[in-house]
């Protein structure tokens, strides 16, 4: 009977390792994909200032072709406007909606700056120049939209897939968390006459799961080199690496604590048996 109980305890201990790892991974991956967490990280790295600089660079590609001064584009776009549009895009993604980027404010400011520039230059605008100005305004609006659209997912199928992923992760997190609690209770119950054996099995599971979590972090860092990951858009690169790094750091933290608690538990049981 004792042999059967020990074998059963070993099986449950192994299952507990899987449950702890699954709980940790689903918890932090799920958190990483939540809109509030993403926006929190956007604020943390001030991504809006980065996007604004990128948009200004886009604008400069057209200013020299227009024949107007650089001051025409310097004040037409603000960090607050960029922040508002990115947040709107993110909220729309998670609420399964499609939103159009509002460029009315930028168009009005651009009109004012162009009129001011023309008035200062005291120039008469030819029809050809009017056409060029119209094309310039259109290009600036398009450039602004391009800068924001990197944070906007308009494909309905993609939005639905994200919703499915989040729903699956939430269910998996709940199941693995409940399984972890249930396995710990069962291990203690079947070893109730020798409670320290139950604690020992649980401690070994904690130690093992912690080591696996630390190995997962090491493998991801060595295989993918997160800190050196590059996307063509710098702000996207910073956002991606910050969120992934925060997720991995959380997993490492859990891994270290479980290793510590596992070692403490094993030592306590060993001391008790002496």
């Amino acid at each position: 009977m004792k042999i059967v109980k020990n074998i059963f305890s070993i099986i449950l201990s192994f299952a507990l390792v899987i449950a702890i790892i699954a709980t940790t991974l689903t918890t932090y991956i799920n958190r990483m994909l939540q809109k509030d967490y993403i926006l929190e990280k956007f604020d943390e790295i001030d991504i809006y200032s980065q996007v604004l600089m990128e948009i200004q660079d886009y604008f400069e590609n057209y200013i020299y072709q227009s024949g107007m001064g650089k001051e025409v584009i310097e004040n037409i776009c603000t960090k607050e406007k960029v922040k508002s549009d990115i947040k709107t895009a993110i909220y729309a993604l998670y609420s399964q909606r499609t939103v159009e980027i509002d460029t009315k404010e930028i168009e009005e400011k651009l009109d004012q700056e162009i009129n001011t520039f023309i008035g200062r230059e005291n120039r008469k605008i030819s029809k050809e120049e009017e056409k060029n100005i119209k094309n310039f305004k259109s290009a600036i609006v398009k450039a602004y939209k391009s800068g924001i659209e990197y944070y906007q997912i308009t494909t309905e199928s993609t939005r639905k897939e994200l919703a499915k992923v989040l729903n699956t992760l939430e269910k998996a997190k709940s199941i693995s968390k409940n399984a972890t609690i249930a396995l710990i209770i069962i291990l203690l119950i079947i070893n109730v006459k020798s409670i320290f054996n139950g604690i020992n099995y649980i401690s070994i599971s904690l130690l093992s799961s912690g080591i696996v979590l630390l190995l997962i972090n090491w493998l991801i860092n060595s295989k993918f080199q997160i800190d050196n990951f590059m996307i063509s858009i710098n702000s996207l690169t910073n956002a991606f690496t910050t969120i992934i790094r925060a997720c991995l750091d959380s997993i490492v933290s859990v891994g270290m604590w479980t290793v510590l608690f596992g070692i403490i538990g094993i030592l306590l049981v060993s001391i008790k048996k002496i």
Side-chain angles (χ1 to χ4, degrees), residues 30-258:
N30 184 58
R31 186 178 75 166
M32 180 181 71
L33 294 175
Q34 294 299 319
K35 67 176 182 297
D36 290 336
Y37 183 74
I38 291 172
L39 291 174
E40 177 189 323
K41 290 303 174 184
F42 280 6
D43 284 328
E44 185 180 300
I45 64 174
D46 192 16
I47 197 171
Y48 311 109
S49 292
Q50 298 173 43
V51 174
L52 178 59
M53 290 175 63
E54 289 166 356
I55 289 172
Q56 291 286 3
D57 288 340
Y58 298 154
F59 289 170
E60 289 183 12
N61 292 332
Y62 299 101
I63 190 66
Y64 300 112
Q65 302 170 20
S66 70
M68 285 179 277
K70 190 176 178 180
E71 64 271 18
V72 170
I73 58 169
E74 285 181 342
N75 300 310
I76 64 172
C77 183
T78 64
K79 175 184 170 180
E80 289 70 27
K81 170 64 175 168
V82 170
K83 183 175 182 177
S84 174
D85 285 340
I86 289 178
K87 290 183 75 171
T88 298
I90 296 295
Y91 278 113
L93 169 62
Y94 282 84
S95 59
Q96 302 289 304
R97 293 184 295 110
T98 301
V99 292
E100 195 68 33
I101 298 172
D102 184 13
T103 58
K104 184 179 179 181
E105 178 185 331
I106 290 174
E107 292 177 52
E108 289 176 350
K109 286 184 177 181
L110 183 58
D111 280 334
Q112 291 174 5
E113 294 294 338
I114 289 173
N115 291 333
T116 299
F117 177 80
I118 292 172
R120 189 169 56 247
E121 294 288 313
N122 196 25
R123 290 167 51 184
K124 286 187 177 182
I125 304 300
S126 65
K127 288 185 178 181
E128 184 64 27
E129 286 176 318
E130 282 183 5
K131 182 180 178 181
N132 290 339
I133 289 172
K134 185 178 179 181
N135 291 336
F136 169 67
K137 288 162 63 175
S138 177
I140 291 296
V141 169
K142 186 177 180 181
Y144 178 77
K145 286 185 176 181
S146 296
I148 301 297
E149 280 173 354
Y150 289 114
Y151 300 87
Q152 184 182 39
I153 297 176
T154 56
T155 309
E156 185 178 353
S157 59
T158 304
R159 294 199 301 269
K160 286 182 178 179
E161 284 302 317
L162 175 61
K164 286 181 182 178
V165 169
L166 289 172
N167 186 49
T168 301
L169 281 170
E170 191 62 41
K171 287 180 179 178
K173 183 180 75 172
S174 179
I175 291 170
S176 58
K177 183 180 178 181
N178 291 334
T180 300
I181 295 170
L183 287 165
I184 290 173
I185 292 171
I186 294 170
L187 275 168
L188 291 174
I189 289 172
I190 65 175
N191 290 282
V192 68
K193 292 183 179 179
S194 181
I195 197 68
F196 284 101
N197 281 342
I199 293 172
N200 192 51
Y201 283 118
I202 293 169
S203 299
I204 291 170
S205 296
L206 288 171
L207 177 61
S208 301
S209 58
I211 291 171
V212 172
L213 288 170
L214 294 174
L215 280 172
I216 289 172
N217 174 70
W218 178 79
L219 285 171
I220 291 174
N221 278 300
S222 60
K223 183 75 174 177
F224 299 103
Q225 298 182 330
I226 301 298
D227 292 330
N228 297 323
F229 186 83
M230 285 294 296
I231 304 175
S232 58
I233 308 301
N234 287 335
S235 60
L236 270 179
T237 299
N238 291 338
F240 178 82
T241 54
T242 298
I243 291 171
I244 295 295
R245 175 52 57 203
C247 179
L248 290 175
D249 287 346
S250 296
I251 290 171
V252 167
S253 180
V254 172
M256 292 176 69
W257 279 109
T258 51

